[in-house]
Amino acid sequence: GVIANNEKVAECFFKISALASQDPEGYREAIAQRDEDESDTDKADETGDGSKGVVDKKRKETADALGTTLTVLGRCFMKLRASMRDMGSRANVPLEPPQQTRILDETAGLKGVHGCGVPGAGGYDAVFAIVVGSAARRRVEELWKNWNDEESGSVVTLPITPENVGVATHIELPKS
């Protein structure tokens, strides 16, 4: 259900954070490589072994672990969305209204999107997408900018970019 999928999403984010702290250079390289792969799918494999230039074993392990974790993250978000729709249907509460389901399904199908959904308690006012790389972000922004159907209206994007540290955990609120 929802709780199990939320926990799996959290595990993925913690895994990504651990990869970033255990091998910061390899993590940055893996993120940059994923972004490059997203924007230039015809780029030749420079090493001939499928590693696309990632020759250092530890960095390759980091890149592989990041790829696997992002795949799991995407699957978890799909299951979480399905659980939220089911829970909303049973409670007769629009946790993911059909209008948002349409844009989220389109968003989830874009290359480089590793999760999307309705934040908080659901409703009609917001959606989010987890992307890696500027090419994927541009695809989402373009889809949302051009989204306009009679039932759901238009979408305004608010792009937020993280620092390249994975996921940060705060025990208490940061001091300003």
Side-chain angles (χ1 to χ4, degrees), residues 11-74:
E11 286 174 21
C12 287
F13 284 129
F14 286 124
K15 173 73 174 175
I16 292 167
S17 182
L19 290 169
S21 64
Q22 292 166 0
D23 183 12
E25 188 59 34
Y27 175 80
R28 281 190 292 278
E29 220 174 81
I31 292 290
Q33 186 66 50
R34 293 188 76 79
D35 190 23
E36 187 175 302
D37 289 348
E38 292 294 318
S39 62
D40 185 9
T41 56
D42 295 328
K43 184 176 182 206
D45 180 354
E46 295 167 8
T47 62
D49 66 359
S51 66
K52 295 194 182 221
V54 182
V55 293
D56 178 80
K57 183 179 178 186
K58 180 175 170 110
R59 289 188 180 159
K60 181 166 179 7
E61 288 172 0
T62 298
D64 291 347
L66 178 63
T68 299
T69 304
L70 289 171
T71 298
V72 170
L73 181 65

Side-chain angles (χ1 to χ4, degrees), residues 73-91:
L73 181 65
R75 289 181 186 147
C76 288
F77 269 110
M78 293 302 284
K79 290 177 183 176
L80 181 58
R81 286 184 53 218
S83 296
M84 293 296 284
R85 285 191 304 273
D86 181 57
M87 186 169 64
S89 175
R90 291 172 189 245

Side-chain angles (χ1 to χ4, degrees), residues 3 10 12 39 48 54 76 78 96 98 104-105 110 117 135 150 156 166-168:
I3 293 172
C12 287
S39 62
V54 182
C76 288
M78 293 302 284
E96 185 183 293
L104 290 171
D105 287 348
L110 296 174
E150 290 200 14
V156 176
V167 177

Side-chain angles (χ1 to χ4, degrees), residues 138-157:
R138 282 191 300 275
R139 279 192 286 278
V140 170
E141 288 173 347
E142 189 68 22
L143 173 69
W144 290 2
K145 181 177 89 174
N146 294 319
W147 190 267
N148 193 0
D149 72 22
E150 290 200 14
E151 237 182 296
S152 61
S154 59
V155 178
V156 176
T157 61

